Amino acid sequence: MDGLKSLSRLSFRQLAQQTLNFCLIVSSALMIWKGLSVVTNSESPIVVVLSESMEPAFARGDLLFLTLPSAPVNIGDICVFKVEGKSVPIVHRVLEIHTSTNNTQFMLTKGDNNPVDDRGLYNQGQMWIRQEDVVGKVQG
Amino acid sequence: MYSLPQRANTLFAFFISVLFCVLGAVALSGPVLLLATHAGGRDAGVPVISVEKMAVKLGRRGHYYDYTQPMTELAFIHFNMVADLTPYWTWNTKQLFVYVVAEYATPTHPTNQIVIYDDIITSKDDANIDLRNQLSEYIASDMSHKLAGINATLSLHWNTMPHVGILMTDRKGSTPLVFPKPTK
């Protein structure tokens, strides 16, 4: 309430300046985020780990820095991918890669801490993840 | 003018800047120490991988009891490996993720890479690897469902995961193998 009272004491000019200042902070934060997206070519350059499937490499709540390189994925890379029709991205290591003659990559992934590969997480009958499904590659 | 919260704020801001500088230096130390190892000629030798025995059997992949998947040739590989990765262990190493990769080419897919064994090493003492008659952890199979007669190579890859900093991957060694005919 005190804050509101002091706000009402301000002149219109001061009020406008406060508002503009606030907008500037919000927009610069958004610009940094979007700028990072452009540089890393990834729709979300920083992600939070949600599960313990990659222990002891990543614990819950760890922040990961991602890029989406145009180069093909390498074996053993930790990729973030989305299974078609499911919204939650998954951070797991690439276990198998089969590259066809037209450079399409078929990948199988597995969490370091999981006993089996990810076919149980994919859609029913889906055997491979394609390069289009990959959202980013973990850099550190 | 100089109230207690103000002083605390200044102190905290300084602490945060120092923390980030230290973290930056730690992050840099990983690649720098690795370069020093390469430059100082302290590299580990080529890992010795040899295939003890191999069997190819027929089975299905995918979900359990998913009989829509075709019968696939599955390879079970017993192998030996002696490798010393201790030179690559630095104080900024959280873990080494070590994996053995089988690589081969088929007419439809020029490059195929399959991880057959992996291990997470969390201390320098464990970085000296000596495996005898180790069964592959993951069953190798091809998208064409055929493996017999394919020439492949086994190599050791490792992924250095630092406490702070970027991930680094390296590989060494190449041991040839030929997948045998399927048996019951």
Side-chain angles (χ1 to χ4, degrees), chain B residues 5-19:
Chain B
Q6 215 165 17
R7 281 168 201 264
N9 187 305
T10 316
L11 203 66
F12 184 68
F14 183 63
F15 170 72
I16 292 289
S17 345
V18 169
L19 184 73

Side-chain angles (χ1 to χ4, degrees), chain B residues 62-91:
Chain B
H63 286 76
Y64 295 118
Y65 305 115
D66 183 0
Y67 290 110
T68 58
Q69 297 295 340
M71 290 300 270
T72 304
E73 289 180 1
L74 310 172
F76 299 82
I77 304 167
H78 281 84
F79 66 99
N80 307 315
M81 183 173 71
V82 180
D84 181 17
L85 295 179
T86 45
Y88 306 118
W89 189 279
T90 64
W91 71 302

Side-chain angles (χ1 to χ4, degrees), chain A residues 51-111:
Chain A
S51 81
E52 283 159 9
S53 63
M54 284 298 281
E55 289 268 5
F58 307 131
R60 268 184 200 205
D62 278 6
L63 291 176
L64 302 177
F65 182 69
L66 302 184
T67 63
L68 188 58
S70 50
V73 178
N74 295 317
I75 190 98
D77 280 352
I78 304 170
C79 282
V80 182
F81 60 90
K82 275 183 182 164
V83 179
E84 231 180 296
K86 296 178 186 174
S87 56
V88 181
I90 304 173
V91 186
H92 277 177
R93 199 183 289 274
V94 176
L95 192 68
E96 280 187 33
I97 298 180
H98 301 274
T99 312
S100 71
T101 35
N102 58 7
N103 281 328
T104 315
Q105 287 189 311
F106 297 90
M107 286 170 272
L108 176 66
T109 53
K110 178 185 169 286

Side-chain angles (χ1 to χ4, degrees), chain A residues 56-58 75-76 78 93 95-101 106 110 112 119-120 125 127-128 138-140, chain B residues 61 63 69 94-95 97 99 104 107-115 138 142-143 159 161 165-167:
Chain A
F58 307 131
I75 190 98
I78 304 170
R93 199 183 289 274
L95 192 68
E96 280 187 33
I97 298 180
H98 301 274
T99 312
S100 71
T101 35
F106 297 90
K110 178 185 169 286
D112 287 0
R119 286 202 173 117
M127 297 296 276
W128 309 100
V138 176
Q139 298 286 347
Chain B
R61 305 227 66 173
H63 286 76
Q69 297 295 340
K94 179 158 79 176
Q95 65 170 40
F97 186 84
Y99 48 109
Y104 60 90
T108 52
H109 296 80
T111 51
N112 297 272
Q113 292 173 305
I114 299 176
V115 174
Y138 309 111
D142 188 56
M143 285 184 83
N159 189 204
M161 312 193 78
I166 58 161
L167 306 177

Side-chain angles (χ1 to χ4, degrees), chain B residues 61-166:
Chain B
R61 305 227 66 173
H63 286 76
Y64 295 118
Y65 305 115
D66 183 0
Y67 290 110
T68 58
Q69 297 295 340
M71 290 300 270
T72 304
E73 289 180 1
L74 310 172
F76 299 82
I77 304 167
H78 281 84
F79 66 99
N80 307 315
M81 183 173 71
V82 180
D84 181 17
L85 295 179
T86 45
Y88 306 118
W89 189 279
T90 64
W91 71 302
N92 190 20
T93 308
K94 179 158 79 176
Q95 65 170 40
L96 290 174
F97 186 84
V98 178
Y99 48 109
V100 177
V101 178
E103 251 175 293
Y104 60 90
T106 59
T108 52
H109 296 80
T111 51
N112 297 272
Q113 292 173 305
I114 299 176
V115 174
I116 62 161
Y117 173 83
D118 68 23
D119 194 13
I120 299 169
I121 292 169
T122 50
S123 83
K124 190 173 182 174
D125 303 328
D126 298 336
N128 211 339
I129 306 162
D130 189 357
L131 298 171
R132 299 279 166 202
N133 205 10
Q134 170 72 45
L135 172 63
S136 56
E137 241 182 291
Y138 309 111
I139 300 161
S141 68
D142 188 56
M143 285 184 83
S144 67
H145 313 293
K146 295 262 181 274
L147 265 183
I150 290 175
N151 291 300
T153 56
L154 289 184
S155 52
L156 175 70
H157 296 226
W158 65 94
N159 189 204
T160 313
M161 312 193 78
H163 290 290
V164 186
I166 58 161

